[in-house]
Amino acid sequence: MIGRIIETLDDVEEGATHLRAACPRMAHAHDLTAPLPLRRRQDGFEQLLNAIVSQQVSVAAADAIWSRMKGAKLTGPRKILWASDDDLRAAGLSRQKIRYARALAGARIDYRALRDAPTEQVIETLTEVPGIGVWTAEIYAMFSLGRADVFAPGDLALQEGARLLYDLPERPNERALRAMSEAWRPWRSVAARILWAYYAQRIRREGVR
């Protein structure tokens, strides 16, 4: 099922209004964090390649590597397949990320078709590619495809945000947070925006261990 697509800030606010009515704690978090960001991105190969580049490195390091790859024109599937390992290493990719980048380039994903595919199919298609996990696929569905009812319960910031907002004794694991997120349908991606913003606000205000 595709459901609603988030295209504009008005769509985000519609979702926030629904969540406010459904949950007083979501309303409290939204009071502290509004206006929420749109966070829409382009879809396609380049977005997923960027996600691979960003794995397990700092934001600054990922930005530097991506800048070198763009400078070397190594952001398209054919360029990745034609480049030598030395070219990709020179841009900053590790041996493992070179393998992942080549796997994505050779996967021949029909990105246009994904726009109209059920979310479950999007996640299944993307996670068949080495280096693309469920979290990356969910984030792609959420922000590159604009799906309104996608959540990423494996995200540590979402887990910690839920712990703080709902005053839980411990951080919920992925399974527990996925179960919690059922209450936020059909606007789970807006709930994620609220939790991310709330977590960031709490860190700025008092620090989080």
Side-chain angles (χ1 to χ4, degrees):
M1 181 176 177
I2 295 174
R4 287 288 301 274
I5 301 296
I6 293 177
E7 299 281 6
T8 68
L9 286 170
D10 286 342
D11 297 328
V12 175
E13 285 307 305
E14 181 183 345
T17 298
H18 172 92
L19 292 165
R20 291 179 64 91
C23 176
R25 297 209 183 204
M26 279 283 172
H28 169 69
H30 187 240
D31 285 340
L32 295 174
T33 58
L36 298 171
L38 180 59
R39 296 184 72 163
R40 276 304 303 267
R41 305 170 182 166
Q42 296 294 317
D43 64 336
F45 175 84
E46 191 169 314
Q47 284 296 326
L48 288 170
L49 180 62
N50 196 327
I52 288 172
V53 168
S54 300
Q55 291 172 1
Q56 299 180 323
V57 297
S58 69
V59 172
D63 287 346
I65 295 169
W66 189 247
S67 179
R68 288 198 294 271
M69 292 186 69
K70 288 179 70 174
K73 295 182 170 55
L74 292 173
T75 58
R78 284 183 292 183
K79 293 287 189 178
I80 293 293
L81 291 174
W82 294 342
S84 68
D85 285 358
D86 287 343
D87 291 334
L88 296 172
R89 273 195 297 269
L93 294 188
S94 65
R95 180 180 300 178
Q96 184 180 57
K97 289 185 179 180
I98 290 172
R99 182 169 69 85
Y100 290 164
R102 293 196 191 282
L104 178 64
R108 298 180 181 274
I109 295 171
D110 186 341
Y111 294 102
R112 287 183 177 271
L114 290 185
R115 296 174 186 173
D116 299 317
T119 298
E120 295 77 9
Q121 183 180 330
V122 171
I123 293 170
E124 181 180 352
T125 297
L126 296 182
T127 55
E128 287 176 352
V129 181
I132 303 294
V134 172
W135 179 87
T136 300
E138 288 168 337
I139 294 298
Y140 182 88
M142 194 182 299
F143 296 129
S144 289
L145 299 181
R147 303 296 169 87
D149 195 32
V150 178
F151 200 71
D155 187 280
L156 293 180
L158 290 180
Q159 292 174 6
E160 189 65 12
R163 182 188 74 81
L164 293 166
L165 180 59
Y166 289 89
D167 197 23
L168 302 176
E170 60 185 15
R171 189 171 68 202
N173 61 23
E174 182 173 352
R175 181 176 181 180
L177 187 55
R178 191 177 294 278
M180 282 183 66
S181 74
E182 291 297 310
W184 305 324
R185 288 183 180 273
W187 292 99
R188 288 183 298 167
S189 71
V190 177
R193 287 167 170 85
I194 292 175
L195 288 175
W196 273 315
Y198 180 74
Y199 176 59
Q201 191 268 351
R202 285 287 297 267
I203 288 176
R204 288 194 299 270
R205 190 176 71 195
E206 60 195 48
V208 176
R209 66 182 183 275

